[in-house]
Amino acid sequence: MRNYIVRRLLLMLPTLVAVAFLSFILLRLVPGDTLTAQIQSSGLSGAQYSPERLQSLKKQLGIDGSIPSQFGRWVNHLAHGDFQRSFLTNKDTLQQFRERMNVTIELGLLAVCFSVLIGIPIGAFSGVFQDTALDYVGRVLAILALAVPNFWLALLIIVFASRWFGYAFPRGSHPFFSEPLTNLQQFVAPALVIAAASAGLLMRLTRTAILDVLRQDYIRTARAKGLALRRIVLVHSLKNALIPVITVIGTQLAVVITGSVVVEQIFNLRGAGQLTLTSILQRDYPQVQTNVLIFAVVLVIGNLLTDLTYGVVDPRIRFA
Amino acid sequence: MDGGPDGITMVGEAKSTAAQGETLPLAAPERGVRPGLLAPSRLLALARRKPLGAAALALLVVLWALCLLAPVLAPYGYDQLFTAPRLTAPSSAHIFGTDESGRDVFSRLLFAGRLSLTLSLATTVFGVALAVLFGVVSGYAAGWFDLVFQRITDAFQALPILVILLVLAALYQGNRIVIVTAVALLFAPAAGRLFRSATLALRDQPFVEAARVTGASPLRIVLTHVMPNLYPLIIVFATAYVGANILLLAVLSFLGFINGDYPDWGSMLNLSAATYMVSAPWLVLAPGIAITLAVLAYNLLGDSLRDILDPRLRGS
């Protein structure tokens, strides 16, 4: 196990370098000098930059010189903890990301909790009561959750909360630890929206896993011994059925990040997702580059943890 | 449509070629002459066995027909202004109401669907073609190529795809061709893993070995012995993938990152949603339901196809 972790950590390095390179090359894929033109039109004033200012901006973005030398310089700066400064605010981009990330972390944690709390029980019921009305309701819910666009769900919640209940979501920043109730009013709905698709996926996976397990011999033995259905499901089936399910939860990190970009904007939450969207819209490239890199690193770590949980939840899996 | 030289018939042929080799996706071989997979009698039997899949297929046919025939069916043009007062509720003259410029929402919905449906299909065809190419080459070539390719795939899987797409869409001013290409390229490596593992499983099968022994070139082996066995997987995967692409493209245009005057379902939500949605909820309902129905239909069809074509994949 330890050897495996060490090897996986080592394998992470080339992936991280590749990820860094991909997020670096992204802004340089643009043909010709479009980027320069874009910088010209960037900034809140929209004023044209003088050639000297343009040169210094290029230098600030690290787009002077050849591509390999640019990449080398960028990585070197990163290694020294120097992320570039934002075009718009001239603040450190890492610092700006840090200021915004708490919202996204809370949203992500809530979303994962919701998807597990909704997806696994409904999926388990569906499987245990296969081909009953309950099962059909569960399956319809699951396929609907997977088909509904998350931004539309968010719009519906806002529209109908307002039309039917005259409800408007609280605005502004309400930290969880000082104003927990207002904070939850802000976060529960967007977290549910992000959780919907994952919950649908978990429902389906749990249902099939339960169906598989219920056909096993040891379940028949348990039944023959006259154990209560509840005990068979909770003690004997669910634990084994959840092995393939748990490992999927880690892959939902990508869904959370993608979801936060869209949903934070709609619900007006000032998180890292919204920061990313606005910096793309306002052509704040250093900020975009930093955010892409951080998201990518988070996803790499998420993938690693996912692989490791396989071994923790299923002792049959040996890491060679 | 009786068994032409298309992909589905080749699936049937592949089965007989490989039946002596190993387990293959399709059902147990039947004795005697059997009708082609697309013969009416078989289709009917399939529809009876998979009513949900048949319903999904019917829904897709209806959606596609409605949208493709939009110029004939739509009562008004997609950009025809002031066909009625602004923001009128659904009525007999405007069954889905009108929007903030007095345009007929139903007509716009039909025209918008043309873009949403065709663009998502184009993205899927392109993406799946790339994925199959990557996966089959990587799986069959193995060795250092495979190793390098897998590390690249790791990196691609760690990218926040929506963010990358937004950046590219912003840099290229919402150019649709760039977006379609980017979606295909970003998803192809991860999707290629599926076809890679399928190829790995096939490459050491006795019938592939036999072909190798007779001196067939790698290209010939891949094209005539490996690929036909992948068709079920490709069809199933592609069908399910269209739904994901509809959602992704809808998000992009909802956020205003796809350029153009021509509407699609996502952009209809973008313009109407922000300002008028509370007073005129029909603006939000119609395009959203259209997207959901289309995704639902593709997903359900994908599920049924998977059950029919590849029982081993059931539940995955």
Side-chain angles (χ1 to χ4, degrees), chain B residues 11 14-28 202 205 207 228-230 232 309-312:
Chain B
V11 172
K15 197 195 83 184
S16 54
T17 328
Q20 63 274 61
E22 249 285 310
T23 50
L24 249 121
L26 292 165
L202 284 168
Q205 295 281 322
F207 71 92
N229 286 298
L230 292 180
L309 291 173
D310 196 348
R312 283 176 314 170

Side-chain angles (χ1 to χ4, degrees), chain A residues 11 14-15 18-19 22-23 26-31 34-35 38 139 143-144 146-152 155-156 158-160 162-163 204-205 208 257-259 261-262 265-266 276-277 280-281 283 285 288 291-292 295-297 299-300 303, chain B residues 52 151-152 154-164 166-168 170-173 247-248 250-251 254-257 265-266 269 273-274 277-282 284-289 291-293 295-296 299-300 303 306 314-316:
Chain A
L11 264 180
T15 311
V19 161
L22 285 174
S23 54
L26 185 62
L27 294 175
R28 289 155 183 86
L29 284 173
V30 194
T34 317
L35 189 57
Q38 301 253 353
R139 283 162 74 184
I143 43 179
L144 271 182
L146 281 168
V148 172
N150 57 5
F151 64 90
W152 185 58
L155 293 179
L156 284 187
I158 292 178
V159 169
F160 287 101
S162 161
R163 273 183 80 89
R204 291 177 59 129
L205 288 174
T208 35
I257 289 176
T258 304
V261 172
V262 181
Q265 175 70 14
I266 300 174
T276 310
L277 190 65
I280 294 172
L281 284 170
R283 317 221 178 283
Y285 296 119
V288 172
N291 292 8
V292 169
F295 285 148
V297 171
L299 289 177
V300 170
N303 287 347
Chain B
L52 216 53
R151 294 287 80 74
I152 295 175
D154 281 344
F156 266 86
Q157 273 188 319
L159 288 177
I161 290 190
L162 179 68
V163 179
I164 308 270
L166 291 177
V167 174
L168 287 175
L171 284 175
Y172 286 89
Q173 273 103 36
L247 287 177
L248 190 68
V251 171
F254 165 72
L255 290 174
F257 280 82
W265 288 335
L269 287 165
M277 59 182 185
V278 176
S279 55
W282 56 89
V284 184
L285 286 176
I289 291 173
I291 298 173
T292 309
L293 278 182
V295 177
L296 198 67
N299 287 354
L300 286 175
D303 282 358
R306 185 189 55 203
R314 209 170 288 168
S316 64

Side-chain angles (χ1 to χ4, degrees), chain B:
Chain B
M1 276 276 284
D2 197 344
D6 54 64
I8 305 211
T9 321
M10 289 165 90
V11 172
E13 287 167 7
K15 197 195 83 184
S16 54
T17 328
Q20 63 274 61
E22 249 285 310
T23 50
L24 249 121
L26 292 165
E30 292 158 33
R31 302 272 169 225
V33 188
R34 60 195 189 93
L37 261 178
L38 289 180
S41 62
R42 271 189 76 105
L43 284 183
L44 236 127
L46 277 182
R48 212 169 291 135
R49 222 173 73 216
K50 293 276 163 206
L52 216 53
L57 185 63
L59 179 59
L60 276 179
V61 170
V62 170
L63 280 177
W64 270 94
L66 278 176
C67 294
L68 289 183
L69 295 177
V72 186
L73 293 175
Y76 307 92
Y78 66 88
D79 53 356
Q80 193 179 340
L81 296 171
F82 304 111
T83 54
R86 306 162 63 238
L87 297 172
T88 48
S91 63
S92 57
H94 299 278
I95 56 172
F96 290 160
T98 59
D99 69 4
E100 68 279 4
S101 310
R103 294 173 297 196
D104 182 53
V105 172
F106 179 66
S107 306
R108 276 179 78 72
L109 198 66
L110 294 190
F111 280 103
R114 310 174 99 194
L115 200 55
S116 292
L117 291 176
T118 48
L119 219 53
S120 56
L121 190 68
T123 313
T124 307
V125 170
F126 191 20
V128 172
L130 279 177
V132 171
L133 182 71
F134 291 167
V136 170
V137 171
S138 188
Y140 195 79
W144 65 266
F145 179 86
D146 186 38
L147 196 75
V148 171
F149 180 72
Q150 288 314 304
R151 294 287 80 74
I152 295 175
T153 305
D154 281 344
F156 266 86
Q157 273 188 319
L159 288 177
I161 290 190
L162 179 68
V163 179
I164 308 270
L165 283 175
L166 291 177
V167 174
L168 287 175
L171 284 175
Y172 286 89
Q173 273 103 36
N175 183 325
R176 290 203 183 91
I177 294 172
V178 171
I179 290 169
V180 166
T181 314
V183 175
L185 274 173
L186 284 169
F187 274 103
R193 288 227 156 128
L194 191 67
F195 301 110
R196 172 181 171 266
S197 56
T199 309
L200 277 178
L202 284 168
R203 71 188 296 264
D204 295 325
Q205 295 281 322
F207 71 92
V208 176
E209 256 167 33
R212 211 174 291 140
V213 169
T214 59
S217 69
L219 185 67
R220 188 186 161 82
I221 294 176
V222 164
L223 288 183
T224 63
H225 299 282
V226 175
M227 283 298 288
N229 286 298
L230 292 180
Y231 285 132
L233 193 60
I234 294 172
I235 292 168
V236 169
F237 179 76
T239 312
Y241 192 43
V242 188
N245 279 334
I246 292 179
L247 287 177
L248 190 68
L249 294 172
V251 171
L252 285 176
S253 58
F254 165 72
L255 290 174
F257 280 82
I258 296 186
N259 191 29
D261 307 323
Y262 200 89
D264 63 47
W265 288 335
S267 66
M268 284 180 74
L269 287 165
N270 174 38
L271 293 173
S272 55
T275 341
Y276 308 100
M277 59 182 185
V278 176
S279 55
W282 56 89
L283 291 183
V284 184
L285 286 176
I289 291 173
I291 298 173
T292 309
L293 278 182
V295 177
L296 198 67
Y298 274 115
N299 287 354
L300 286 175
L301 183 65
D303 282 358
S304 299
L305 284 178
R306 185 189 55 203
D307 289 352
I308 295 166
L309 291 173
D310 196 348
R312 283 176 314 170
L313 283 175
R314 209 170 288 168
S316 64

Side-chain angles (χ1 to χ4, degrees), chain A residues 291-311:
Chain A
N291 292 8
V292 169
L293 183 68
I294 294 173
F295 285 148
V297 171
V298 170
L299 289 177
V300 170
I301 296 171
N303 287 347
L304 174 71
L305 290 180
T306 304
D307 286 356
L308 293 182
T309 42
Y310 276 113

